[in-house]
Amino acid sequence: MKLNIVSARTGFLWVKLGIRTFLRQPLALCGLFFMYMTFVVLLSVVPFIGTVLALAVVPAATLGLMVATQEAESGRFPMPRVLLSAFRAGRQRVRAMLVLGLIYAACCVAIGAITPLLVDVPPPSPADTTGAVMLTPAFQMSLLLGMALYTPVALMFWHAPALVHWHGISPVKSLFFSTVACLRNGKAMLLYALAWGGVFFLGSIVVGLVAAFSGSPQAGVAMLMPIGLLLTVMFTTSLYFTFRDSFVATPENETPSPGETP
């Protein structure tokens, strides 16, 4: 496995490929994403450890959605079993994926614990029905701080699940290689993020125009969630291409077929 340095404009290509592949199998990819979200919601209601469990499955679920993208790009219909691909790749890789999940959960819990210590955000009062606390400078600062703290975590885990699953890299090394790949392809990743920001912005404009022309703000609100979810699934679909183009498989370590154990 070797790192592949791509041109900056590849970031736009990743967005295009994500959208195009989604349009090949929109129902299947949406269904898989909703299954994952439903599972996370069910996990999160487990007393005491529900939130940690929901966070711990994120790397494995991300890998499953990447396998689904690989299936859709190849012209196949991704079945629900692809979501379990991380747990069908041999004991060593399963163990490594579980370790990744625990590290990811620990990082997110740490960020959630540190942010309130650095920024004092007043709790919302029962009388606050407008969400005024969310508009306060303290709350906005806490969001920015949380995003800043999460950015290195995102870089570490961007490619890590795929490196563990398809290349048999150990959890710690996969986090290192993922960070290096994101930084070395920083221009492409930046344009990728900006392009997706533009796509989501266009989606919000469409919602606003519908609300304006219909004369009903409720119509815009009703469209906001489904459009947001569709764009999120498209974004998730594009993750596979950022990994595929950032690494080159060596002959003795070729990327296997979906769910296949090398």
Side-chain angles (χ1 to χ4, degrees):
M1 182 271 297
K2 298 187 301 181
L3 175 63
N4 185 43
I5 307 301
V6 301
S7 63
R9 65 171 180 264
T10 306
F12 292 120
L13 177 63
W14 290 335
V15 176
K16 177 182 176 181
L17 289 172
I19 295 174
R20 187 178 68 184
T21 305
F22 168 81
L23 294 177
R24 287 183 178 180
Q25 297 286 355
L27 294 179
L29 293 172
C30 282
L32 291 172
F33 183 79
F34 293 150
M35 288 176 63
Y36 157 59
M37 292 303 299
T38 301
F39 182 66
V40 167
V41 170
L42 293 175
L43 276 180
S44 63
V45 300
V46 176
F48 305 113
I49 61 171
T51 301
V52 174
L53 290 176
L55 291 170
V57 302
V58 169
T62 301
L63 185 279
L65 294 173
M66 291 175 72
V67 173
T69 300
Q70 190 185 44
E71 290 265 65
E73 188 203 19
S74 301
R76 296 185 291 267
F77 186 89
M79 301 299 290
R81 65 174 179 271
V82 300
L83 292 178
L84 300 176
S85 296
F87 304 107
R88 299 170 59 232
R91 184 175 301 176
Q92 183 177 358
R93 281 171 167 77
V94 170
R95 188 183 302 113
M97 193 67 69
L98 292 176
V99 171
L100 271 187
L102 291 176
I103 297 174
Y104 181 80
C107 290
C108 291
V109 170
I111 292 173
I114 292 172
T115 303
L117 297 177
L118 300 177
V119 181
D120 185 19
V121 180
S125 64
D128 180 18
T129 59
T130 62
V133 171
M134 299 177 64
L135 302 177
T136 61
F139 186 86
Q140 299 297 323
M141 181 60 68
S142 70
L143 286 180
L144 291 175
L145 178 60
M147 291 175 60
L149 293 174
Y150 183 74
T151 297
V153 177
L155 296 180
M156 289 191 298
F157 284 89
W158 196 270
H159 301 302
L163 287 171
V164 165
H165 179 75
W166 277 311
H167 294 291
I169 307 298
S170 68
V172 174
K173 286 184 177 180
S174 72
L175 296 175
F176 173 76
F177 291 152
S178 175
T179 304
V180 170
C182 289
L183 293 178
R184 292 291 300 276
N185 285 320
K187 292 181 180 179
M189 292 295 291
L190 178 60
L191 289 180
Y192 171 78
L194 292 174
W196 272 118
V199 171
F200 276 86
F201 180 69
L202 288 175
S204 67
I205 290 179
V206 170
V207 172
L209 290 175
V210 169
F213 283 109
S214 66
S216 171
Q218 290 78 11
V221 173
M223 288 185 60
L224 187 60
M225 181 171 290
I227 288 181
L229 287 173
L230 284 176
L231 294 179
T232 300
V233 178
M234 291 180 186
F235 167 75
T236 305
T237 303
S238 69
L239 295 178
Y240 168 73
F241 300 102
T242 68
F243 165 74
R244 185 196 66 179
D245 294 341
S246 295
F247 297 92
V248 178
T250 55
E252 68 275 8
N253 197 12
E254 294 289 349
T255 301
S257 300
E260 177 185 337
T261 303

